[in-house]
Amino acid sequence: MIRNLPRRPLAAAAVVARGLGSMAAAPPAPADQPALEHCVLDLDTGCQTCYGEFSAAFAAASDGQITDAPDNPKAASQDSGLQGLREETLRLMSDSGASSRVVVGTFFKDKNYGGGSLTLFGPEPGRDDQDWVAS
């Protein structure tokens, strides 16, 4: 029996479930516009914004620090594209002066980095003694 679960994973799971659920409930985009299936969620304010491309969503989540994220994460998972993105994100997280916010994590709707995505960002990397609570 599990008695105590860490609050951060539970809060993150609730945020992800809510975010991915709202992506499914979004109305379809007009034919001349791409579907807005890549969303970013500010863990401080609870504000969610969606984009047509993963690269645009990740640029917004990283406060413009990372503008070369792959447009197709599933295809990039077959080469070094996602590994490079991970390394750049970790570098920015360790450089506290680089940005006023950091990417906390990205969740994908489908397995193997497919479908829509939800990228969470906050004011600083999570620490063992801090919890983010999204309402």
Side-chain angles (χ1 to χ4, degrees):
M1 179 167 89
I2 300 175
R3 294 181 184 199
N4 293 316
L5 293 175
R7 288 176 46 197
R8 184 180 340 218
L10 292 175
V15 168
V16 170
R18 184 185 68 175
L20 290 176
S22 68
M23 285 172 34
D32 61 341
Q33 293 180 352
L36 303 178
E37 63 180 2
H38 299 283
C39 299
V40 296
L41 178 66
D42 183 334
L43 293 175
D44 261 357
T45 67
C47 180
Q48 179 175 305
T49 307
C50 297
Y51 301 85
E53 299 290 335
F54 178 75
S55 58
F58 209 86
S62 68
D63 203 19
Q65 295 293 312
I66 299 176
T67 57
D68 59 350
D71 281 330
N72 185 339
K74 188 170 188 169
S77 70
Q78 303 301 315
D79 58 31
S80 61
L82 285 184
Q83 182 62 30
L85 179 62
R86 180 181 179 276
E87 290 169 0
E88 180 67 7
T89 301
L90 291 172
R91 185 191 66 75
L92 287 172
M93 286 174 67
S94 66
D95 183 7
S96 61
S99 177
S100 60
R101 57 184 168 185
V102 296
V103 173
V104 175
T106 299
F107 301 88
F108 293 89
K109 187 175 179 182
D110 299 335
K111 65 180 182 176
N112 298 323
Y113 310 102
S117 66
L118 176 64
T119 299
L120 310 176
F121 69 90
E124 60 185 32
R127 304 277 189 242
D128 289 341
D129 60 346
Q130 295 177 336
D131 291 319
W132 281 301
V133 178
S135 56

